[in-house]
Amino acid sequence: MSLILASGSPRRRELLAMAGFDFTVVTSDCDESLPAGIDPENAVLTLSRRKGDAVRAHHPEIAADDAVLAADTVVAVDGLILGKPADRADAKRMLRLLSGKTHQVYTGVCITKGDRTAHFAVCSDVTFYALTDAEIDAYADTGECDDKAGAYGIQEKGGLLVESISGDWYNIVGLPVARVARALRAL
């Protein structure tokens, strides 16, 4: 059995490697649009399944006994899903929404191997300090916001915005590796 990571995320690659997994990266090219009003948990479950299915469908060389791991992460505050910011102004808007509040980070994971599937979502709570406009501008200027859900990376300078967390830190980075390891063993 081989492990295929259906994600181009450098953070997911780093986390899997840190956990000792050997894997190959095969990125998915699928529609990531979501129906209006979908809740964050169902959003990440939908997108993780869609990504995994797209990799299997477009890469017939992947064997049935290979495990395909797909994931998607979103940030949600007051029920509003925050994906990756479109630009610097959007990143600053998101950071203002998160300032002084507790928000949720959801990661949906879909692992398929043959006819078996592990499909789950993990949620962690993150509380931001109240941020000044100067702090928001300075963080937006780092460029770290560009490709991250919610416009921050907790594992980088964005960690300085965080007052507290409750839940799986690795989930907040982008992949709940302990839960993934257990699901892979179960498959």
Side-chain angles (χ1 to χ4, degrees):
M1 173 195 88
S2 295
L3 176 59
I4 311 296
L5 174 61
S7 173
S9 165
R11 288 156 301 281
R12 290 190 184 109
R13 288 194 304 264
E14 290 167 8
L15 291 173
L16 276 179
M18 174 215 60
F21 287 99
D22 291 320
F23 59 93
T24 304
V25 174
V26 179
T27 58
S28 66
D29 184 23
C30 69
D31 174 19
E32 293 192 34
S33 63
L34 292 165
I38 191 169
D39 66 87
E41 183 172 351
N42 282 319
V44 295
L45 288 170
T46 297
L47 291 175
S48 63
R49 175 163 313 263
R50 197 179 291 165
K51 289 176 179 182
D53 288 349
V55 165
R56 280 226 183 258
H58 294 98
H59 296 276
E61 71 277 9
I62 296 174
D65 68 336
D66 289 341
V68 174
L69 164 61
D72 192 78
T73 301
V74 299
V75 169
V77 60
D78 299 328
L80 176 66
I81 295 174
L82 303 179
K84 296 176 184 178
D87 53 29
R88 187 173 183 272
D90 194 31
K92 289 169 61 172
R93 176 191 66 83
M94 289 182 189
L95 293 169
R96 279 190 203 91
L97 285 171
L98 299 174
S99 175
K101 293 183 181 173
T102 299
H103 62 274
Q104 291 67 46
V105 178
Y106 291 86
T107 300
V109 175
C110 185
I111 307 168
T112 58
K113 181 181 176 201
D115 62 353
R116 295 177 290 165
T117 299
H119 195 207
F120 56 89
V122 174
C123 179
S124 302
D125 290 327
V126 179
T127 302
F128 267 26
Y129 286 105
L131 305 174
T132 65
D133 285 341
E135 288 172 313
I136 290 170
D137 287 341
Y139 184 64
D141 287 343
T142 67
E144 288 182 10
C145 304
D146 296 348
D147 69 338
K148 295 177 183 72
Y152 76 97
I154 195 169
Q155 73 281 11
E156 297 169 324
K157 292 178 185 83
L160 298 174
L161 311 175
V162 176
E163 182 176 352
S164 64
I165 70 166
S166 177
D168 184 338
W169 185 83
Y170 294 110
N171 177 60
I172 299 165
V173 177
L175 191 69
V177 290
R179 179 96 184 258
V180 166
R182 283 162 176 72
L184 284 166
R185 278 196 301 268
L187 288 177

